[in-house]
Amino acid sequence: MSRTVAVIGGGITGVTTAYALAKRGMHVTLIERHRYAAMETSYANGGQLSASHAEVWNHKATVLNALKWMARRDAPLLLNPTPGWHKLSWFAAFLAAMPDYERNTIATTRMAIAARDHLFAWAQEENIDFDHRRAGILHVYRERAGFERAARVSRLLAQGGLQRRAVTPHEMRAIEPALHGDFYGGYYTDSDSTGDIHKFTSGLADACARLGVACRYDTQVTALAREHGKVRVSAGGDSTVFDAVVICAGTASRAMAATLGDHVNVYPVKGYSITVQLDDDASRAAAPKVSLLDDATKLVSSRLGEDRLRVAGTAEFNGINHDIRADRIRPLLQWVAQCFPGVHTRKVIPWAGLRPMLPDMLPKVGRGKAPGVYYNTGHGHLGWTLAAATAELVAQQVAAVAQD
């Protein structure tokens, strides 16, 4: 019976998984290499809980843009041309998944909608303040071609159960009066929302501890091994056998999976963000309250409380690389100046994180080849949006085995 469970990784997927397991009566150990939860990719993302952003990237438009932008260091999508087997094999699998674009987009939409109910209920039950704002998300388009393509995407989102409506430039400014610029049109999803992923994950980690989860922070996993239908986890100088292990280790999941006989082809796709401190009345008044996604620049913005504006985006295929590059941060600052000129950017905190992305853009959720091995990883740019749903799915599987 699967009673003792190790969850590896203390980001949004690991903490939600630990919580979902603990609520089902499992004896859970959460192992995180950092001193606290949510210190890597779950630290400073774009803040959007965005079912409206569920479109997978396996589309010819993505490929064409990647090729077009290769010479631009500030491109929204930047592909380092240096060859490598992992990168080449990942892109080959990415191209192979293009025929599943529509089906995977619909599946992701359904998952994102399901995740909302769990996340909101947990936040209420555990009294977690995470700067949650239910003001919807506005997608903005500067050209007709992008707007018309968005109409086709909207039809796929509708098949997944999400309704978003087309809005004129006049309606866009009624939704978000602070927005400046010339736009062809937009799409507004009033059911989407925003929040601080770090605050939520930290709060839920505290709830896990109250539920009896053994939280082992500042602890590096050094080895995993299958052992008589169970899994031995070596970490922090100790070696313990668990009935089950759930790997939620982000970009480290690929190497861990390989030691357990599984192929989980996660690639690290770097994203950047800036947090603009709204320290004066003028900036607070000029900053947007509604979350935005700008199709031309591939940037998103979220208002976190009254005194912070988070702007995030870009995708950089450059391997394991945590460097914060000035030429990648500059477009985010320029976007703020162009779209919200009254916002002062004197005090800005830059950040970069590695999104764990699988070629078909769907997370790996569920059992591995060996008994007792499970995964909840590879959520890409939608970890914050999907994590509560995938945590429930994997916890149900682990609990089902425990009841056999």
Side-chain angles (χ1 to χ4, degrees):
M1 296 177 68
S2 294
R3 295 293 185 187
T4 59
V5 187
V7 176
I8 301 177
I12 184 65
T13 55
V15 171
T16 52
T17 298
Y19 183 81
L21 288 164
K23 293 288 279 187
R24 286 169 169 79
M26 302 289 103
H27 299 289
V28 183
T29 299
L30 177 67
I31 304 173
E32 164 57 42
R33 66 175 182 156
H34 290 286
R35 190 178 177 187
Y36 310 102
M39 294 304 293
E40 283 203 23
T41 311
S42 299
Y43 187 76
N45 74 349
Q48 292 188 332
L49 292 161
S50 52
S52 60
H53 201 25
E55 181 194 11
V56 299
W57 296 3
N58 309 86
H59 191 276
K60 63 181 180 181
T62 307
V63 178
L64 293 174
N65 282 334
L67 295 174
K68 179 177 67 176
W69 289 332
M70 280 183 70
R72 283 181 50 190
R73 292 178 62 84
D74 63 348
L77 192 159
L78 183 63
L79 172 62
N80 185 330
T82 304
W85 171 247
H86 184 200
K87 187 189 300 181
L88 292 172
S89 66
W90 191 94
F91 274 108
F94 176 92
L95 295 173
M98 288 176 67
D100 298 322
Y101 160 79
E102 292 189 357
R103 183 180 66 186
N104 289 349
T105 295
I106 294 168
T108 304
T109 307
R110 290 173 176 156
M111 200 183 308
I113 293 171
R116 291 173 177 165
D117 292 339
H118 298 304
L119 190 146
F120 297 164
W122 296 346
Q124 182 175 6
E125 183 175 353
E126 303 299 343
N127 195 28
I128 301 172
D129 177 9
F130 63 106
D131 292 328
H132 190 206
R133 186 183 294 265
R134 298 196 189 202
I137 293 178
L138 177 63
H139 290 222
V140 301
Y141 301 88
R142 301 170 189 270
E143 298 177 353
R144 178 176 179 175
F147 180 80
E148 291 180 345
R149 183 177 182 278
R152 296 189 290 272
V153 174
S154 290
R155 289 192 284 272
L156 294 178
L157 300 178
Q159 290 183 54
L162 184 78
Q163 298 300 320
R164 68 174 186 175
R165 61 185 175 92
V167 289
T168 65
H170 177 75
E171 291 171 314
M172 289 165 56
R173 286 181 173 83
I175 293 168
E176 181 44 74
L179 179 64
H180 286 65
D182 294 324
F183 300 95
Y184 181 86
Y187 277 87
Y188 179 58
T189 312
D190 58 6
S191 60
D192 276 343
S193 60
T194 58
D196 187 322
I197 187 174
H198 182 74
K199 281 189 173 184
F200 178 87
T201 308
S202 298
L204 197 67
D206 291 341
C208 285
R210 291 193 297 269
L211 288 170
V213 174
C215 297
R216 296 185 60 190
Y217 297 117
D218 207 13
T219 301
Q220 181 75 49
V221 173
T222 54
L224 298 170
R226 296 168 289 181
E227 191 168 302
H228 308 300
K230 300 185 179 184
V231 182
R232 180 175 292 280
V233 179
S234 299
D238 296 329
S239 182
T240 306
V241 175
F242 293 89
D243 294 315
V245 63
V246 187
I247 295 177
C248 311
T251 56
S253 299
R254 177 173 176 260
M256 291 185 183
T259 67
L260 295 169
D262 292 309
H263 179 59
V264 180
N265 195 14
V266 167
Y267 191 86
V269 180
K270 190 195 291 187
Y272 291 83
S273 80
I274 57 173
T275 303
V276 182
Q277 299 297 136
L278 307 173
D279 288 343
D280 57 276
D281 291 340
S283 291
R284 287 191 286 272
K289 292 182 170 59
V290 172
S291 183
L292 302 172
L293 188 149
D294 187 335
D295 182 68
T297 60
K298 309 301 181 188
L299 296 180
V300 305
S301 69
S302 298
R303 185 74 172 265
L304 301 177
E306 287 303 311
D307 60 355
R308 291 183 298 153
L309 175 65
R310 177 73 50 74
V311 179
T314 78
E316 183 178 312
F317 289 80
N318 196 24
I320 299 291
N321 183 308
H322 294 272
D323 294 345
I324 299 176
R325 292 171 42 180
D327 57 353
R328 305 293 286 159
I329 293 295
R330 191 175 302 113
L332 282 65
L333 291 165
Q334 292 171 342
W335 186 85
V336 174
Q338 292 166 2
C339 295
F340 306 100
V343 172
H344 297 156
T345 53
R346 297 187 184 96
K347 189 182 294 185
V348 172
I349 302 171
W351 173 86
L354 301 179
R355 309 178 186 102
M357 199 166 278
L358 286 161
D360 62 1
M361 303 285 112
L362 295 178
K364 169 69 174 176
V365 184
R367 298 178 180 178
K369 293 178 182 177
V373 176
Y374 299 83
Y375 296 92
N376 185 18
T377 191
H379 296 65
H381 65 298
L382 291 176
W384 182 211
T385 298
L386 302 179
T390 60
E392 279 290 300
L393 287 171
V394 75
Q396 287 171 8
Q397 292 189 19
V398 175
V401 172
Q403 293 169 1
D404 289 346

